[in-house]
């Protein structure tokens, strides 16, 4: 399913030169601003092939990992109306997403802060730091798709019953600084 090179694995249906130029395999950690730029440029430069790749599944959100390096993972997600996530954080990883098509609603909170709401339309992007917890959903009438990136990669998410339950500090989960081949051997989930 993933096309392998020495420093980056790319989904075969997204293995295009523009994506390989955007993924900086030598970068160990990405900032929220760099992740936002990655998702924005990926959506802008590869929109048509990504929309052809996206699948809309009534049972649950659909997703595909587009690329993985030791410093970042990049995903394509699709959302039918009414589909969404539970409240969660990204285990101390920074992240970003760009709406490729349709629109998404995000309720989010940083520890100790108020719960905020944003409605993001096609082309809108957000980058967030390690202390961010959120819930994302398609509350519109049309299908939506989005490009997501996280650094460090493969950090599990933590779910909450409510954004009100976010602790005063979101401690980072353990990450591994392994070569790409060893990271791939650890992949035990296909969900962003």
């Amino acid at each position: 399913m993933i096309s392998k090179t020495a420093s980056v694995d790319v989904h075969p249906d997204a293995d295009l030169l523009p994506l390989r130029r955007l993924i900086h395999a030598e970068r160990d950690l990405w900032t929220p601003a760099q992740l936002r730029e990655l998702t924005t440029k990926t959506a802008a430069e590869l929109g048509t092939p990504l929309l052809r790749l996206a699948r809309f599944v009534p049972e649950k959100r659909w997703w595909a990992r587009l690329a993985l390096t030791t410093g970042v993972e990049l995903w394509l997600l699709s959302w039918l109306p009414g589909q969404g996530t539970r409240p969660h954080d990204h285990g101390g990883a920074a992240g970003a997403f760009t709406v490729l098509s349709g629109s998404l609603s995000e309720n989010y909170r940083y520890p100790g802060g108020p719960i905020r709401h944003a409605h993001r339309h096609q082309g809108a992007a957000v980058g967030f730091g390690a202390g961010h917890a959120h819930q994302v959903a398609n509350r519109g009438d049309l299908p939506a798709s989005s490009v997501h990136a996280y650094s460090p990669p493969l950090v599990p998410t933590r779910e909450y019953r409510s954004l009100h339950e976010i602790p005063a500090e979101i401690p980072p989960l353990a990450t591994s600084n392994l070569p790409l081949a060893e990271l791939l051997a650890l992949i035990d989930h296909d969900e962003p």
Side-chain angles (χ1 to χ4, degrees):
M1 177 177 168
I2 299 285
S3 171
K4 297 178 183 179
T5 66
S7 58
V8 61
D9 277 3
V10 178
H11 190 287
D13 293 335
D15 195 1
L16 303 167
L17 186 57
L19 181 58
R20 288 195 175 268
R21 280 196 318 260
L22 294 171
I23 298 290
H24 300 280
E26 73 285 353
R27 187 178 292 160
D28 289 331
L29 281 179
W30 295 57
T31 67
Q34 291 167 329
L35 293 167
R36 183 177 188 266
E37 181 180 10
L38 173 63
T39 62
T40 299
K41 286 185 174 182
T42 299
E45 294 181 22
L46 298 170
T48 300
L50 292 179
L51 289 172
R52 282 196 300 263
L53 176 62
R55 302 291 175 259
F56 295 91
V57 181
E59 296 79 24
K60 64 180 183 175
R61 292 177 300 125
W62 174 92
W63 52 81
R65 181 181 289 113
L66 297 174
L68 174 67
T69 73
T70 57
V72 68
E73 60 184 321
L74 184 68
W75 294 84
L76 173 64
L77 282 74
S78 70
W79 316 72
L80 286 173
Q83 291 179 336
T85 67
R86 296 180 48 93
H88 65 281
D89 67 46
H90 288 275
F97 70 90
T98 297
V99 180
L100 178 62
S101 65
S103 63
L104 295 171
S105 294
E106 180 188 26
N107 294 323
Y108 63 96
R109 181 175 186 208
Y110 284 92
I115 295 174
R116 299 181 186 271
H117 176 77
H119 192 73
R120 305 190 193 283
H121 298 279
Q122 181 176 340
V126 61
F128 51 86
H132 182 90
H134 64 174
Q135 183 172 17
V136 181
N138 180 352
R139 302 202 192 291
D141 297 326
L142 300 172
S145 59
S146 51
V147 178
H148 298 243
Y150 307 101
S151 181
L154 304 179
V155 177
T157 61
R158 267 185 296 245
E159 289 190 348
Y160 302 94
R161 286 184 297 195
S162 161
L163 288 174
H164 292 287
E165 295 180 355
I166 304 304
E169 181 180 334
I170 296 176
L173 294 172
T175 61
S176 41
N177 191 12
L178 298 173
L180 187 58
E182 292 180 45
L183 277 177
L184 288 168
L186 293 176
I187 294 175
D188 62 357
H189 70 285
D190 290 323
E191 182 174 1

